[in-house]
Amino acid sequence: KKIKFKYFDIDVNKTKKYRKDGELYCESPIALTWDDENYYMLAWDSAAQKMKHYRVDKMENIEITEEDRVLSDKPFDLSNYSKSMFQMFSGEETDVSIEFDNELVGVVFDRFGTDIPIVKKDEEHFICHVKVAVSPHFLSWIMSFGKQAKIISPDYVVEEMYQLACSFYISTGTVYTNIDISGLSENIPAAMEIVEDLIYNAVPDEDILENLKEDILKERADAKLSQDMCFGALQEYIFFG
């Protein structure tokens, strides 16, 4: 049977913030898995035609419905899915301080747990202190957030990022995907290793996707209230139909 539930994130004040304004989710459960001291429910979203995962401790008002589950026609490999979705950073651990945009707090709590110490830097950023293995996978994870995340200590990790003196940009079209890497020529191989790790070990993140959707919807709503935007759209309609 399908189940209904509410799902929430934790904000920078460590208070609950319900997804979809508290609207109930309705999903077809597949399996229950354990990773890094957290239980996750894996479910098939028939509307989106993809597998999703939810942390069980962030689910509330769970209710079993009378509606039968709708499952994918493709075979499902729990082991491979768990490896791709819940891979963690391996190697010798180091205490690292990272600055994040506030909107990534849910991603941080999901990755490192809600018990990690965080400090408010300003109205838009916070700093967290975590113990993590500094590996190419970790660096690519940080780089994947662009300007929304920055390592601030220890110095040798900051220096490792700084010495690369490289940046990358990925753009997608209907036919091609372009990857641009720029920086010092002697550091391009190391930068390529990080970018390749990011591409080959990319992990979909529902929190970031939901934040992106909310940002897009807010931008559209704000545009409708802007006289300049409305006037510009009217001009385009007059010229181009």
Side-chain angles (χ1 to χ4, degrees):
K1 299 296 183 179
K2 287 187 176 182
I3 65 170
K4 291 183 177 180
F5 57 92
K6 289 184 177 181
Y7 198 66
F8 64 85
D9 293 315
I10 303 296
D11 63 18
V12 290
N13 298 315
K14 296 191 177 182
T15 56
K16 294 179 182 178
K17 180 183 177 183
Y18 287 94
R19 294 267 188 95
K20 302 199 299 186
D21 295 323
E23 181 182 342
L24 288 172
Y25 285 72
C26 186
E27 303 286 7
S28 299
I30 301 295
L32 194 66
T33 187
W34 167 270
D35 182 78
D36 195 35
E37 301 185 358
N38 291 301
Y39 279 107
Y40 292 85
M41 181 195 75
L42 308 184
W44 176 252
D45 186 330
S46 55
Q49 287 293 298
K50 66 179 181 179
M51 193 70 66
K52 292 185 177 181
H53 63 276
Y54 301 90
R55 263 182 53 172
V56 175
D57 60 322
K58 296 169 63 177
M59 299 167 60
E60 287 187 347
N61 297 50
I62 303 173
E63 174 187 349
I64 301 176
T65 72
E66 295 300 320
E67 187 178 356
D68 291 334
R69 294 187 303 171
V70 178
L71 306 179
S72 172
D73 296 331
K74 299 178 181 179
F76 174 66
D77 190 317
L78 176 60
S79 176
N80 287 338
Y81 182 85
S82 297
K83 287 178 181 178
S84 65
M85 294 301 294
F86 305 119
Q87 57 180 312
M88 296 301 289
F89 314 126
S90 59
E92 185 177 352
E93 294 187 335
T94 302
D95 291 316
V96 178
S97 297
I98 314 167
E99 178 186 315
F100 288 97
D101 283 8
N102 283 347
E103 64 183 62
L104 293 178
V105 67
V107 178
V108 174
F109 283 150
D110 279 350
R111 173 63 71 176
F112 301 112
T114 56
D115 292 332
I116 63 167
I118 66 171
V119 179
K120 177 180 177 181
K121 180 185 178 183
D122 52 42
E123 294 302 320
E124 298 180 349
H125 305 87
F126 68 92
I127 296 172
C128 73
H129 307 282
V130 297
K131 184 178 289 291
V132 67
V134 180
S135 63
H137 181 57
F138 168 69
L139 296 179
S140 67
W141 183 72
I142 293 294
M143 290 177 66
S144 69
F145 298 117
K147 296 181 179 179
Q148 293 182 297
K150 178 175 66 175
I151 299 173
I152 57 177
S153 73
D155 291 341
Y156 86 89
V157 179
V158 177
E159 185 68 16
E160 187 172 346
M161 289 287 288
Y162 178 76
Q163 282 182 352
L164 286 177
C166 295
S167 61
F168 73 94
Y169 175 75
I170 300 177
S171 61
T172 59
T174 56
V175 179
Y176 300 104
T177 296
N178 296 314
I179 303 174
D180 298 319
I181 303 176
S182 60
L184 299 176
S185 58
E186 61 266 28
N187 292 336
I188 292 297
M192 288 183 63
E193 180 182 355
I194 291 175
V195 174
E196 286 176 355
D197 181 84
L198 173 63
I199 295 171
Y200 292 132
N201 298 300
V203 178
D205 194 300
E206 294 297 326
D207 290 326
I208 295 177
L209 178 59
E210 289 299 324
N211 286 333
L212 176 61
K213 290 179 181 178
E214 290 177 3
D215 289 343
I216 293 174
L217 292 175
K218 185 177 184 304
E219 288 178 2
R220 291 177 179 176
D222 291 343
K224 291 179 181 179
L225 300 176
S226 168
Q227 288 185 344
D228 291 339
M229 293 293 291
C230 290
F231 183 71
L234 182 60
Q235 280 186 316
E236 290 189 4
Y237 179 77
I238 293 173
F239 291 147
F240 306 109

